[in-house]
Amino acid sequence: MGRREHSFLYIRELLLVIALMLFLGGCMSFTASAGTIKGTKALFITAGADAEAEAKEAEEKAKAEALAKAEAEKKAQEEAAAAARLTLPDGRTLTPLGSFRITGYCPCYQCSEGHGSVTAIGTRARSGRTVAVDPRVIPYGTHLLINGHEYVAEDCGGAVKRNHIDVYFDSHREAANILYYTEVYIIR
């Protein structure tokens, strides 16, 4: 091969490298230099220090954005939780439990299954205070706000499961007429 053919191949390789650099130019910056390897002309391509710095800077920027996003999400969750809590005039807070089915029961055999007015925790049921709950959902002793009235979870019942609360009444006439759905709150 003559000198002219070598020059032509060298220029052709140089053009290919330049095209490759232009194609990849958005990703990295390159430095091209000519040299010889064993008497043959060669083109050396090295990634510049600028490319490494740009990649590191982009990675740090992505980390900072992810951290800022996580902090914003956490703040939004805290604000939502704070908004969900209401405060009573005496300073106690209300935490929503969700919508519950509200029914009534009394000390008669039909309603209390023969237990009369003795509750599951051993206290005497009182109208306007005692409710029967599913203790897996609402623990005994929990104070609840139902339709603006405070009750205490002191009893359970065979039909009281999940989101169902039985309100205690002194008479069957009052208890039999109760059936509605409402939002229930825990008072803390």
Side-chain angles (χ1 to χ4, degrees):
M1 234 186 239
R3 186 173 221 197
R4 188 175 188 182
E5 292 171 347
H6 279 288
S7 294
F8 177 72
L9 289 175
Y10 176 73
I11 291 172
R12 186 172 146 212
E13 288 175 12
L14 184 60
L15 290 173
L16 287 172
V17 169
I18 291 172
L20 179 64
M21 289 185 336
L22 290 174
F23 177 73
L24 297 174
C27 303
M28 300 179 74
S29 63
F30 291 90
T31 303
S33 59
T36 58
I37 300 177
K38 295 185 183 176
T40 320
K41 291 191 178 184
L43 188 65
F44 302 106
I45 301 173
T46 57
D50 293 345
E52 291 175 18
E54 288 174 11
K56 192 171 187 177
E57 185 179 315
E59 184 180 330
E60 289 174 3
K61 184 178 178 182
K63 285 181 183 178
E65 288 174 357
L67 182 62
K69 183 178 178 182
E71 288 175 359
E73 288 176 1
K74 183 179 178 183
K75 185 177 179 182
Q77 288 175 347
E78 289 172 355
E79 289 174 357
R85 289 193 183 110
L86 305 172
T87 305
L88 293 175
D90 62 4
R92 296 182 297 168
T93 59
L94 300 176
T95 305
L97 281 178
S99 182
F100 280 73
R101 178 178 184 224
I102 309 297
T103 56
Y105 77 108
C106 70
C108 79
Y109 187 84
Q110 181 182 355
C111 290
S112 67
E113 301 167 346
H115 295 286
S117 62
V118 178
T119 66
I121 62 172
T123 61
R124 182 175 175 89
R126 293 189 304 177
S127 182
R129 173 187 165 84
T130 302
V131 292
V133 298
D134 182 345
R136 295 171 298 177
V137 177
I138 302 170
Y140 293 129
T142 302
H143 289 249
L144 303 170
L145 185 69
I146 304 170
N147 277 351
H149 189 81
E150 184 175 349
Y151 294 93
V152 180
E154 298 178 320
D155 207 357
C156 64
V160 179
K161 303 289 183 218
R162 296 180 200 85
N163 287 15
H164 179 189
I165 295 176
D166 239 354
V167 178
Y168 181 82
F169 290 94
D170 288 325
S171 74
H172 189 77
R173 178 183 280 172
E174 290 175 292
N177 293 324
I178 302 298
L179 174 61
Y180 60 93
Y181 291 83
T182 190
E183 292 296 314
V184 175
Y185 299 87
I186 290 180
I187 302 173
R188 297 182 197 267

